Amino acid sequence: MKKSLFTVLMLAAGMAAAACLPVFAGEWKQDYVGCWYDNGNGTYPAGTWKWIDSDHNGVAERYYFDENGYCLKDGVTPDGCQVDCDGAWIQDGLVQIRYI
């Protein structure tokens, strides 16, 4: 009985400690220039691609961000990839995804 009570208390303590850790949840933001992705920790992607699961359904789309951090939409990226009107990478008209 003492052993199982100790185990339960240790698990509860571990869960309480984990709840105190900061969670960096990213979010899309927009201004008069365009939209960018706030990583949730004071940083944002710039001059790079990033896989983002915007709706937290376990499926991420890939977006290209210019040197200023803005998402490129409805065009061709510097490396020759096509992006749709939302900024998601497409091939043959289909949004490319990654399960995360």
Side-chain angles (χ1 to χ4, degrees):
M1 178 76 171
K2 285 184 180 181
K3 192 173 191 179
S4 63
L5 179 59
F6 177 76
T7 303
V8 169
L9 290 174
M10 291 305 294
L11 286 172
M15 290 172 59
C20 295
L21 296 174
V23 175
F24 300 119
E27 67 178 320
W28 286 98
K29 296 194 174 188
Q30 186 166 357
D31 64 13
Y32 65 94
V33 176
C35 66
W36 72 97
Y37 191 75
D38 178 349
N39 288 320
N41 61 0
T43 66
Y44 55 90
T48 191
W49 286 92
K50 182 171 178 80
W51 289 98
I52 300 173
D53 179 8
S54 300
D55 55 4
H56 309 290
N57 66 351
V59 179
E61 294 80 21
R62 193 175 186 208
Y63 299 89
Y64 180 79
F65 297 88
D66 68 16
E67 293 75 27
N68 296 313
Y70 287 99
C71 181
L72 178 65
K73 295 182 177 187
D74 200 23
V76 179
T77 64
D79 57 354
C81 295
Q82 184 77 31
V83 292
D84 68 8
C85 61
D86 293 322
W89 172 36
I90 56 174
Q91 285 185 333
D92 299 322
L94 299 174
V95 173
Q96 302 302 294
I97 60 171
R98 173 188 280 179
Y99 296 97
I100 56 171

